[in-house]
Amino acid sequence: MADRTQRSIVIAAPARQVMSVIADLASYPEWVSAAKSVEVLETGPDGRARTARFVLDAGVVKDTYVLSYTWQPDDMAVSWTLESGELQKAQEGRYELVEQPGGGTEVRYELTVDLTIPMIGMFKRKAEKVITDTALKELKKRVEG
């Protein structure tokens, strides 16, 4: 597995509100520019997605893949792993929420992606940085409205 990319952003909202946006996978196409469709395939007893199929179109990168989710009981983190993908052979990710003094929430995003096609490490790290930065900015915009 490749190096992990880590980014964070502070969102002016309580952690519970941030996690509710993260957990609403079906609405991702409304606010995640690269997500063309998201279908929750299986839910757990808590109503949260256990598996979901994504159709991604980020210009030169197009992929259809299935992720498996693990939600922390305290609602402060979620992690996922790739079950299957066309372009990806592995993906591990995690959102961790840290409440800030004054009511905001720091969102920490970790992502590791391994592709079926060879890619120079420098370009791969740049792509992961763009993906994580964009995801955090779009999440902030959606939560803060």
Side-chain angles (χ1 to χ4, degrees):
M1 183 74 60
D3 293 334
R4 182 174 302 249
T5 299
Q6 300 178 8
R7 298 279 178 263
S8 68
I9 197 167
V10 175
I11 297 177
R16 186 170 307 284
Q17 183 180 348
V18 175
M19 186 55 80
S20 71
V21 171
I22 292 170
D24 187 7
L25 302 181
S27 72
Y28 278 27
E30 297 173 13
W31 60 276
V32 177
S33 59
K36 297 309 161 199
S37 71
V38 179
E39 177 188 4
V40 174
L41 302 174
E42 179 187 0
T43 56
D46 59 359
R48 295 263 169 94
R50 282 212 180 154
T51 58
R53 177 182 296 112
F54 290 75
V55 176
L56 179 80
D57 185 348
V60 295
V61 177
K62 295 173 179 24
D63 196 12
T64 299
Y65 55 94
V66 175
L67 297 178
S68 175
Y69 287 86
T70 303
W71 304 88
Q72 291 290 91
D74 65 1
D75 244 10
M76 296 302 282
V78 58
S79 58
W80 61 89
T81 58
L82 182 75
E83 282 195 1
S84 64
E86 295 173 359
L87 182 63
Q88 301 174 69
K89 60 182 175 182
Q91 181 185 141
E92 292 180 2
R94 177 178 172 85
Y95 280 115
E96 181 180 358
L97 308 183
V98 180
E99 293 180 329
Q100 300 295 294
T105 303
E106 180 186 6
V107 181
R108 298 175 183 164
Y109 184 16
E110 299 177 2
L111 181 67
T112 306
V113 176
D114 202 1
L115 303 176
T116 57
I117 57 172
M119 183 181 278
I120 297 171
M122 175 179 62
F123 293 122
K124 187 170 176 233
R125 284 187 297 280
K126 175 71 172 166
E128 288 175 347
K129 180 185 181 309
V130 169
I131 290 166
T132 54
D133 286 349
T134 300
L136 288 171
K137 288 174 186 170
E138 289 178 335
L139 176 62
K140 180 179 177 77
K141 183 177 178 184
R142 176 72 169 195
V143 173
E144 293 181 353

